[in-house]
Amino acid sequence: MTQISISNAVVEFGATTLFKDITFTVAAGERWGVVGRNGTGKTTLFKLITGAMQPTRGQIARQPGLRVSLLEQHRDFGDATTVWEAAAGQFADLLALEKSLADQASALGEHSSEAALEKYGHDLERFEREGGYTFAPRVDAVLHGLGFEPVEARTRSLERLSGGERGRLGLARQLVSPAEMLLLDEPTNHLDLETTQWLEQYLRETDKSVVVISHDRAFLAAIADHILHFEGDTAFAYTGGYESFIVQREERRLSQQRQFAKQQRTIAAESDYIARNIAGQNSKQAKGRRKRLERLPRLSSPIGEDGTMALRLEIAERGGDQVVVAKNVKIAVPDAAAAGGQRTLLEHFNARLVRGERLGILGPNGAGKSTLLKTLMGEREVAGGELVLGGSISVAYYRQDLAQVPLGKSLYEVISDLRPTWERRMVQGHLGRFGFSGDEVQRRAETLSGGERARVALAMMMLSRANLLVLDEPTNHLDVESIEALEDAIERYEGTVILVSHDRALLRALATKVWVLHERRMTEFDGSFAEWEVVSQERAHAAAVQQSEEEALRRVRERQKTERRDASKGSGGDQVRSQLRDAKRAVERAESEVSRCEGDVGRLSGTLENPDLYTKPDGAKRARELGQELEKAKRALDRALAQWGEATEALERLEKAGV
């Protein structure tokens, strides 16, 4: 069933056309990814879908009664005061009804008139019909998935939340809403890797329709079955996931290029004929061709990479081989609630980063990744140990908050201050490489959007010619095309890179080494991010297997305690007693086999869960081998449990027969 149909939509602001001729439909249960450069109209599209804005021309049809939930980049929680109230905000009527029912029930104990009983029954029926008994567990489950403790959330004040936590809370509010369609605008911006993976699974399993604006390519590849791509003042709809979209987009661009080139050749040939014959004996034919040429609809030039950020990263000098050295480092931050007034983020950290490596630093939000970078840059003191840069190392630091861009200056002044000997045309040319042309170079930095400030920060970084790049969440404000340009530039870069990011596609393409920060400990994985993902999945699988097997064995032991009886109970002949003895021995052998298999599963799971395994050169290969052994041990344990069940049932039958 079609929920939203948009046909030939055009949006104009005065003489400026934002986009035109957009046509696509969203059917129930579809998951659309919306991509394109910043400023092309993606957020405006959401306003059209919700009805907050009408197109200048074109048609928008909505399914009658369709409920749409919009997650905006700027979150508003209304009158809510606690985290739980904010998450359950769209169930405010049910929360009020629940409180009313409690008050009515209390009043009925003192005065139970027929009218009061009828109202209570009517409200109770409505409460159940509208999901009053199911929405609270749903809110709890989503809050837990997004990193909040549901019990604590009922009393935790909104005022205590950080910006990232408010972002996750806004997402929780949308996910639990009763809407049939979710509109999500950059939902992964404040999520760490683990939470992003939870969101992917949630969106894959939901029966709601989803339209999501995102620059996270791995996220889009995991959830989207359709793509809407904004480019060239319009948008093109593609059926299939993100990888399929990339292929189809290139095929369409190639087809456009061929058609355009063919028409240009035709126009050139006709123009040449007209010029040669307009005054000659073939003048009549030439004039006819000129009229046809004037009426010929011109194809637009092919949409390609024009306007893409032109980033090139070079180094001024090679630098030393030892780039970063950490010796027994401890990092702490002030915390009045912690013992000694400090909270430790990292301790006993020893590591070495050598020239040319591209390091990815991973860890949950709040673990201390950005604090580690600030400490490395000398902005914070280490609480213990030594963290130093090597000799001849020059650093370009891309901050997550973009504080390196001076807000009180124009873009021209920002670049001119870094290159005071440059002529005006050179400054303007450099800014033009990053999408700022004409009068835009005189804009003051405080007027820029997040994406524009990010491009200015990259323009500044390009001029540094540093041999060490320290990048803290560089993709947060960039569109997909700019991220791809950044990825290509880093791939060609000859220096060393330290990258903190939740963008898995970027990490897969670039990170040749991984540090994982978790619970004050840094684990070094000497392999690429893609290899780390494999062994991380093995560890998660081992933990899940161990949990399920422990549950199965617990049931086995409970049955042993409650169902096994003394074989000597009852009377019977020698044959019955012999059968009982044999059955008892069979049960004991089966129990012994279960114990042996349980030991194998526990041993293999423990090995896979040991972080030291992944620090060895052959860790990834050994983890895969152990994962295969674990699967075999699990199957053997399943067989042993089945045999034990059969032996136990046989013993029970004999015991009953001998009573």
Side-chain angles (χ1 to χ4, degrees):
M1 175 184 296
T2 298
Q3 293 180 326
I4 293 288
S5 177
I6 297 180
S7 177
N8 297 316
V10 178
V11 170
E12 296 174 345
F13 297 102
T16 302
T17 299
L18 180 62
F19 56 69
K20 62 184 179 182
D21 301 330
I22 292 182
T23 298
F24 75 107
T25 60
V26 180
E30 290 182 343
R31 299 187 298 274
W32 283 77
V34 182
V35 298
R37 294 172 186 163
N38 293 333
T40 53
K42 302 187 294 295
T43 302
T44 300
L45 174 69
F46 275 10
K47 294 179 181 179
L48 297 182
I49 293 176
T50 61
M53 181 176 177
Q54 296 300 319
T56 307
R57 293 188 298 279
Q59 301 293 325
I60 298 179
R62 301 175 186 84
Q63 177 187 341
L66 178 69
R67 292 175 295 180
V68 178
S69 180
L70 172 61
L71 170 62
E72 298 175 312
Q73 292 179 329
H74 306 289
R75 281 77 178 181
D76 178 15
F77 301 114
D79 297 329
T81 59
T82 68
V83 170
W84 205 92
E85 287 176 353
Q90 299 199 38
F91 293 98
D93 291 344
L94 277 178
L95 288 170
L97 182 57
E98 184 178 38
K99 185 178 184 304
S100 173
L101 285 169
D103 294 341
Q104 290 180 57
S106 178
L108 285 173
E110 301 176 1
H111 177 68
S112 55
S113 67
E114 184 175 342
L117 285 170
E118 183 177 355
K119 174 174 171 50
Y120 181 78
H122 176 76
D123 287 350
L124 188 64
E125 179 184 355
R126 177 191 158 203
F127 185 75
E128 181 176 4
R129 182 178 66 251
E130 296 183 5
Y133 294 113
T134 60
F135 84 90
R138 190 158 79 247
V139 172
D140 286 346
V142 171
L143 282 173
H144 184 267
L146 291 174
F148 296 97
E149 174 54 49
V151 175
E152 180 191 6
R154 292 181 179 271
T155 57
R156 186 177 180 187
S157 172
L158 280 176
E159 296 178 353
R160 295 169 49 196
L161 299 184
S162 66
E165 288 173 326
R166 291 182 69 87
R168 286 188 282 122
L169 181 57
L171 178 57
R173 181 186 179 100
Q174 301 309 118
L175 295 181
V176 301
S177 74
E180 292 87 20
M181 177 178 289
L182 300 177
L183 304 182
L184 308 177
D185 193 348
E186 301 290 3
T188 65
N189 264 4
H190 300 285
L191 305 186
D192 53 35
L193 293 177
E194 183 177 351
T195 312
T196 299
Q197 290 169 342
W198 176 87
L199 177 60
E200 288 173 356
Q201 181 176 354
Y202 184 93
L203 294 179
R204 284 196 300 264
E205 294 175 353
T206 186
D207 57 358
K208 300 177 181 180
S209 303
V210 178
V211 184
V212 54
I213 298 171
S214 181
H215 62 262
D216 189 327
R217 294 164 292 171
F219 175 73
L220 291 171
I223 65 110
D225 52 30
H226 292 74
I227 297 292
L228 184 68
H229 183 211
F230 278 78
E231 66 173 353
D233 73 11
T234 187
F236 301 91
Y238 297 85
T239 299
Y242 188 78
E243 290 88 349
S244 176
F245 150 69
I246 294 297
V247 175
Q248 294 179 61
R249 181 188 64 182
E250 295 310 310
E251 290 175 347
R252 182 182 56 77
R253 286 178 174 175
L254 181 60
S255 176
Q256 284 183 326
Q257 177 67 50
R258 289 171 175 168
Q259 292 175 16
F260 180 76
K262 181 179 179 180
Q263 186 180 72
Q264 290 300 109
R265 289 194 298 270
T266 300
I267 292 173
E270 290 293 282
S271 298
D272 179 66
Y273 179 88
I274 294 168
R276 288 187 291 105
N277 294 280
I278 193 67
Q281 58 181 347
N282 294 326
S283 175
K284 186 175 181 180
Q285 293 92 327
K287 291 178 180 179
R289 291 193 182 191
R290 185 170 61 184
K291 290 181 180 179
R292 289 198 304 271
L293 190 60
E294 290 171 351
R295 294 195 298 266
L296 177 68
R298 297 299 199 269
L299 295 176
S300 301
S301 59
I303 301 171
E305 302 303 319
D306 294 342
T308 301
M309 181 177 64
L311 176 64
R312 185 175 68 250
L313 299 171
E314 298 175 338
I315 62 175
E317 60 177 334
R318 177 179 179 274
D321 290 335
Q322 303 291 338
V323 178
V324 176
V325 178
K327 296 180 180 178
N328 200 31
V329 170
K330 177 180 179 181
I331 295 177
V333 294
D335 188 342
Q342 284 192 326
R343 178 166 58 94
T344 299
L345 299 177
L346 176 63
E347 57 187 349
H348 309 306
F349 173 41
N350 295 278
R352 190 179 304 272
L353 185 67
V354 302
R355 185 178 60 84
E357 289 185 318
R358 295 199 293 264
L359 171 69
I361 302 180
L362 313 179
N365 289 338
K369 303 185 297 297
S370 294
T371 304
L372 171 61
L373 297 186
K374 291 177 182 177
T375 306
L376 176 64
M377 299 304 298
E379 297 180 5
R380 302 184 63 93
E381 295 289 336
V382 294
E386 185 179 6
L387 180 63
V388 297
L389 293 172
S392 303
I393 299 300
S394 57
V395 186
Y397 181 22
Y398 183 101
R399 300 170 185 269
Q400 184 175 356
D401 60 5
L402 302 174
Q404 66 270 39
V405 180
L407 299 183
K409 297 182 177 181
S410 69
L411 304 190
Y412 183 90
E413 291 170 337
V414 169
I415 302 303
S416 180
D417 287 350
L418 295 174
R419 288 292 186 273
T421 62
W422 275 11
E423 298 177 1
R424 183 177 188 84
R425 61 178 180 80
M426 298 174 69
V427 174
Q428 291 179 319
H430 184 72
L431 286 167
R433 295 168 63 92
F434 294 86
F436 302 103
S437 58
D439 293 339
E440 286 185 311
V441 303
Q442 298 301 330
R443 291 177 60 186
R444 298 184 70 81
E446 64 261 30
T447 68
L448 303 178
S449 67
E452 289 170 330
R453 285 179 62 193
R455 284 188 276 125
V456 173
L458 292 172
M460 296 168 63
M461 187 174 71
M462 178 173 162
L463 297 180
S464 70
R465 303 188 68 196
N467 52 34
L468 171 61
L469 302 182
V470 178
L471 307 173
D472 191 0
E473 299 290 2
T475 66
N476 268 1
H477 301 283
L478 298 177
D479 52 47
V480 170
E481 285 86 351
S482 296
I483 292 173
E484 290 173 346
L486 174 63
E487 181 180 300
D488 291 341
I490 296 176
E491 183 67 40
R492 295 189 296 267
Y493 178 62
E494 296 179 355
T496 308
V497 180
I498 299 177
L499 174 63
V500 171
S501 179
H502 65 270
D503 189 320
R504 285 162 295 165
L506 188 72
L507 289 166
R508 288 168 189 162
L510 299 176
T512 59
K513 187 175 186 176
V514 175
W515 290 352
V516 184
L517 178 56
H518 183 67
E519 295 182 350
R520 303 189 300 183
R521 178 181 178 182
M522 185 76 83
T523 301
E524 181 175 339
F525 178 73
D526 194 14
S528 69
F529 176 78
E531 292 172 321
W532 178 84
E533 282 188 300
V534 172
V535 298
S536 179
Q537 290 168 0
E538 293 287 355
R539 290 182 66 185
H541 175 66
V545 168
Q546 184 176 20
Q547 181 179 356
S548 64
E549 298 307 339
E550 286 176 354
E551 183 178 345
L553 290 168
R554 189 164 54 249
R555 290 197 299 267
V556 167
R557 295 189 181 101
E558 289 172 356
R559 288 183 61 186
Q560 285 178 313
K561 293 177 182 178
T562 58
E563 296 179 3
R564 290 186 59 193
R565 299 178 184 147
D566 189 356
S568 62
K569 183 178 179 180
S571 59
D574 291 340
Q575 182 177 3
V576 173
R577 286 194 292 274
S578 177
Q579 290 175 337
L580 283 170
R581 284 195 299 272
D582 292 342
K584 185 176 180 180
R585 292 191 186 106
V587 170
E588 291 173 348
R589 287 194 299 271
E591 289 175 350
S592 177
E593 181 64 13
V594 167
S595 297
R596 186 189 68 78
C597 294
E598 178 187 13
D600 291 343
V601 170
R603 174 179 56 80
L604 292 167
S605 297
T607 303
L608 279 166
E609 291 176 350
N610 187 353
D612 292 339
L613 169 65
Y614 306 100
T615 63
K616 299 176 181 178
D618 62 342
K621 178 181 178 183
R622 182 59 180 151
R624 288 192 292 270
E625 294 172 350
L626 288 171
Q628 294 172 356
E629 292 181 28
L630 181 61
E631 286 294 334
K632 293 179 182 177
K634 179 177 176 257
R635 290 193 292 269
L637 181 55
D638 290 341
R639 290 193 296 269
L641 287 169
Q643 292 171 357
W644 176 87
E646 294 173 358
T648 302
E649 291 174 0
L651 177 59
E652 290 173 354
R653 287 195 298 269
L654 288 171
E655 287 175 342
K656 290 177 181 179
V659 172

